[in-house]
Amino acid sequence: VLGANGENKVLTAGCYTGQEHQVVDINNGLIRMTSTHPLMTTKGWSALDVVEAKKLQADDMEIIPLVEGLELVMGDGDPVVIDTLHTSTGVATVYTIKVNNDHTYIANGIVTHNK
């Protein structure tokens, strides 16, 4: 895990199993995550389930809907267009980490956030 500012450190890590989640798959496996997880796009933070994502993040964090056509911000600064966005609901294993400072880090090359 690389902090988006190069200085973040992992404080905790966890794995949750046996719970039902709505899962989002972007660009056929580029990244797979829960629908409430925010990713950085060129338009700002974005999640599929904006209402639930806002409940999980800081009160002042603006989150817009995650849709095809948005550009994800990559750790190297280059944008990648979301060409495909598939959702499914079911029991899924979810991994979570908490990082210090601004809680922003790079996962699978994509700038992401976790409270």
Side-chain angles (χ1 to χ4, degrees):
V1 175
L2 178 64
N5 66 5
E7 298 176 10
N8 291 355
K9 294 181 181 165
V10 175
L11 301 175
T12 61
C15 176
Y16 303 93
T17 59
Q19 297 175 338
E20 189 169 282
H21 297 276
Q22 184 176 32
V23 176
V24 182
D25 183 314
I26 297 174
N27 290 2
N28 298 314
L30 173 64
I31 194 163
R32 190 170 186 254
M33 61 190 196
T34 59
S35 61
T36 60
H37 198 97
L39 300 176
M40 177 55 77
T41 70
T42 55
K43 302 282 185 188
W45 291 109
S46 183
L48 187 69
D49 188 337
V50 173
V51 172
E52 289 301 314
K54 285 183 178 182
K55 290 179 186 177
L56 298 171
Q57 302 303 323
D59 291 336
D60 62 344
M61 186 175 185
E62 294 292 326
I63 301 174
I64 62 172
L66 184 69
V67 295
E68 291 177 357
L70 280 177
E71 294 178 317
L72 297 173
V73 175
M74 305 301 286
D76 62 8
D78 289 337
V80 170
V81 174
I82 297 174
D83 291 320
T84 60
L85 194 145
H86 298 284
T87 61
S88 61
T89 301
V91 175
T93 300
V94 174
Y95 300 92
T96 184
I97 65 169
K98 182 177 180 182
V99 296
N100 65 339
N101 296 326
D102 63 0
H103 304 283
T104 301
Y105 59 97
I106 299 168
N108 240 28
I110 302 166
V111 178
T112 186
H113 186 84
N114 201 8
K115 183 175 179 182

